[in-house]
Amino acid sequence: MARRQWSIAGQLFALQAVVVTLLVLAGAAGAVWLARSDSQQAAKDEVLAVAQAVAGSPNLRAALTTADPPATLQPYAEATRVATGTDFVVVMAPDRTRYSHPSPKLIGQPFIGDIGPALSGEPFTVTNVGTLGESVRAVVPVYDDEHRIIGLVSVGITTRAINRKLLAQVPVLLGAAAPALALAATGSWLLSRRLRRQTHGLGPGEMTRMYEYYDAVLHSVREGLLVLTRDRRVALVNDEGRRLLGLADVAVTDRPVTGIDLPPAVAELVASGRDAHDEPVLAGDRVLVANQRTTRFEGAALGTVLTLRDQTELRNLASELDSVRALTEALQAQTHESANRLHTVLTLVELGRTDEAVRLATRDLALAQQLTDRVVGAVTEPALAALLLGKSAQAGERGVDLVIEPDCRLDDSPLPTTDLLTVVGNLVDNALEAVAGAPPPRRVRVFVGAVDDELVVRVGDSGPGLDPDRVADAFRRGWSTKSAGRGLGLALVGQVVRRHGGAAEVTRTDGGETLFTVRLPVPKVAR
């Protein structure tokens, strides 16, 4: 069984506990060092003050001039030592001979330690080792009335005594350090708990693998992904999302989504915040399928996730398939109609009414040939001619009279054939749909031709017309008379118009006809 690694929260807590403990211990050690330094300095100040007070005593100067100085000075020095709390008060002659000492047996013996500065008239303090051990001592000269040095006074406190005083302060220092350590440990524990909730108890290795896998997946999938936070800022957009939304060279992470130049349909969907399922939207020249939903974790909303799939090619193929299917259905209907007419002609022949049979057959042939001749004669672009013939047959099956205007003329398409078919096919389809529910006579007329360096496509219908307030939406947002918000025909026309820098308009004629007009500039050919 694999040993589970510590979580990031656990490692952080352990690291913080160690760091905080070391800091508190270092602080306590520093406080002890400062306290010891202060204690030593205080001891130096104390022994110097006591030594100067003793050296200035008139009784001391008088005792130094007697025949037996120790008899007077020993009791005086001991009384002073006890009163001041020092460890020794030694009065000596300039030649180091002791006149007083806490150990009476050492009286008369030479003083141990440096006295040179005092003999020169300078009181001083020093840390030295004597008969009582290491001590902080002060040595002060004693002057007579003629300002001659007649003796020296040394007052000292042993290092052991200083350390005892310092140790008495340790409980106070520990009492101050313990709450600080407890407070720091509590803060570290609370922080680790918060971090554990945010990281879900994952270890660094697990989070590293998760990041690497998620980053690789998000940037390699063929769906565009846009993730927003609760405050509508961009948290993530993958490579495909940047490509589909035209954000390849734009820094968008952590920016408000309202400050990003998104395609209008996508911006409207994102701003609404509503859930969307396989909703078609337009982004420039692309037809995208959008899915949007609010993400939640344990009941709390985290943000919004928008996924986009590029279905431009699929839509084009579907449009071509619809055209082929419509043409096939029209041909099938014509086949049935031709069979019916052929049976009628044969029956008339069998009944001996040959003149009527000939008139019926030649009339239908003439009408079909007339339509074909008119279309082929006016439009030499094979694909467009085939499209118009197919739409004519489709209109006939729907009971719609599709008229190719007499002045329609296009010898050669100055634009890509696919763009021309998109414009003409979708405008005609839109017109056929518009007149489908209108009362007879149902009529659609088509004009395609070059006028003043422009390719003009004009399609009129006798349908109910288009609300003027929705004209702009028809070409921009995929509006449809079939199902609001789901059609893309006129929107695809609008894409072609914008791509070629053309114009599109919808007008109403005096005869009550709705007229869609598209003007596309003809590219100039260099000579």
Side-chain angles (χ1 to χ4, degrees):
M1 182 177 178
R3 181 173 62 87
R4 178 174 174 80
Q5 295 182 350
W6 279 27
S7 66
I8 291 181
Q11 293 186 28
L12 180 62
F13 175 71
L15 179 61
Q16 285 182 323
V18 171
V19 171
V20 167
T21 302
L22 292 177
L23 288 176
V24 171
L25 292 177
V32 170
W33 181 83
L34 290 175
R36 186 173 184 274
S37 177
D38 291 343
S39 298
Q40 288 185 340
Q41 184 61 44
K44 290 180 180 180
D45 295 340
E46 181 181 358
V47 296
L48 181 61
V50 173
Q52 287 177 334
V54 172
S57 172
N59 295 330
L60 178 70
R61 293 199 297 269
L64 287 173
T65 59
T66 63
D68 187 12
T72 304
L73 294 178
Q74 174 67 7
Y76 174 75
E78 285 300 298
T80 303
R81 179 182 67 81
V82 173
T84 58
T86 55
D87 289 319
F88 64 86
V89 176
V90 176
V91 181
M92 69 191 83
D95 62 354
R96 293 179 178 267
T97 301
R98 296 190 184 101
Y99 293 147
S100 66
H101 196 277
S103 297
K105 63 181 181 179
L106 298 179
I107 295 175
Q109 295 185 10
F111 179 79
I112 299 174
D114 185 20
I115 62 172
L119 291 176
S120 300
E122 294 292 336
F124 71 98
T125 60
V126 67
T127 300
N128 206 342
V129 179
T131 58
L132 300 178
E134 186 179 64
S135 61
V136 175
R137 61 185 64 181
V139 182
V140 177
V142 180
Y143 297 95
D144 60 8
D145 294 337
E146 298 179 358
H147 202 70
R148 291 178 301 179
I149 296 177
I150 59 176
L152 302 172
V153 177
S154 177
V155 179
I157 299 176
T158 63
T159 303
R160 290 192 303 273
I162 297 174
N163 290 338
R164 282 196 300 270
K165 292 181 181 179
L166 184 61
L167 288 175
Q169 300 177 6
V170 169
V172 178
L173 293 175
L174 293 179
L181 182 60
L183 181 62
T186 302
S188 298
W189 179 71
L190 293 175
L191 180 61
S192 68
R193 280 193 60 189
R194 177 179 176 84
L195 185 61
R196 182 177 291 106
R197 287 197 303 269
Q198 292 178 337
T199 60
H200 305 290
L202 296 176
E206 295 169 324
M207 294 195 69
T208 299
R209 287 193 298 272
M210 183 181 297
Y211 172 79
E212 291 173 348
Y213 295 156
Y214 283 8
D215 186 71
V217 170
L218 291 176
H219 289 284
S220 62
V221 294
R222 294 300 298 167
E223 279 195 356
L225 180 66
L226 178 65
V227 181
L228 304 179
T229 61
R230 279 177 292 191
D231 56 353
R232 316 299 294 169
R233 303 181 78 88
V234 178
L236 182 145
V237 55
N238 67 349
D239 295 344
E240 183 67 5
R242 288 179 175 276
R243 185 182 72 87
L244 296 179
L245 298 176
L247 303 174
D249 300 325
V250 181
V252 298
T253 304
D254 202 35
R255 287 178 54 186
V257 69
T258 53
I260 300 174
D261 186 17
L262 296 176
V266 178
E268 184 275 330
L269 177 59
V270 170
S272 69
R274 57 184 171 82
D275 289 350
H277 179 68
D278 289 343
E279 182 174 318
V281 295
L282 296 175
D285 295 336
R286 302 182 184 278
V287 179
L288 308 179
V289 174
N291 287 275
Q292 180 171 269
R293 60 171 296 181
T294 300
T295 59
R296 298 180 181 275
F297 181 77
E298 296 181 351
L302 298 180
T304 305
V305 176
L306 173 67
T307 59
L308 302 167
R309 294 195 307 273
D310 189 358
Q311 289 200 343
T312 304
E313 296 182 359
L314 182 60
R315 290 283 178 175
N316 291 337
L317 292 175
S319 178
E320 293 180 11
L321 180 60
D322 290 340
S323 299
V324 172
R325 183 182 293 114
L327 180 58
T328 302
E329 292 174 353
L331 292 176
Q332 289 176 344
Q334 285 184 346
T335 300
H336 289 293
E337 183 65 20
S338 298
N340 292 334
R341 293 180 184 278
L342 180 59
H343 290 157
T344 302
V345 170
L346 290 176
T347 301
L348 289 174
V349 172
E350 290 176 354
L351 293 176
R353 304 172 68 172
T354 56
D355 292 340
E356 294 180 13
V358 170
R359 284 196 300 271
L360 178 61
T362 55
R363 184 185 61 188
D364 290 340
L365 289 175
L367 289 175
Q369 188 61 43
Q370 182 181 4
L371 176 61
T372 302
D373 291 343
R374 184 190 309 167
V375 172
V376 174
V379 181
T380 59
E381 173 64 42
L384 181 59
L387 176 67
L388 292 177
L389 287 174
K391 296 300 181 183
S392 298
Q394 184 179 352
E397 290 302 315
R398 296 186 179 187
V400 178
D401 184 17
L402 191 147
V403 178
I404 308 298
E405 293 190 8
D407 56 346
C408 178
R409 186 75 187 177
L410 186 64
D411 294 328
D412 191 13
S413 174
L415 298 176
T417 302
T418 54
D419 290 346
L420 182 61
L421 295 181
T422 296
V423 173
V424 177
N426 282 291
L427 288 180
V428 173
D429 285 341
N430 183 72
L432 292 177
E433 291 291 340
V435 301
R442 293 184 288 270
R443 187 167 183 263
V444 174
R445 60 187 182 92
V446 180
F447 170 83
V448 181
V451 179
D452 297 332
D453 295 330
E454 288 184 328
L455 176 63
V456 179
V457 178
R458 187 168 56 241
V459 178
D461 64 77
S462 59
L466 183 63
D467 187 350
D469 295 334
R470 308 196 68 177
V471 171
D473 289 340
F475 291 99
R476 188 179 64 228
R477 296 172 51 191
W479 177 88
S480 172
T481 57
K482 294 179 289 185
S483 177
R486 294 185 61 84
L488 290 171
L490 292 180
L492 294 175
V493 173
Q495 284 184 348
V496 175
V497 171
R498 288 190 294 272
R499 184 162 58 245
H500 292 280
E505 61 179 354
V506 182
T507 57
R508 192 77 173 175
T509 65
D510 295 337
E513 184 181 56
T514 302
L515 192 63
F516 286 78
T517 303
V518 172
R519 302 178 184 276
L520 302 174
V522 176
K524 296 184 180 296
V525 180
R527 296 183 179 180

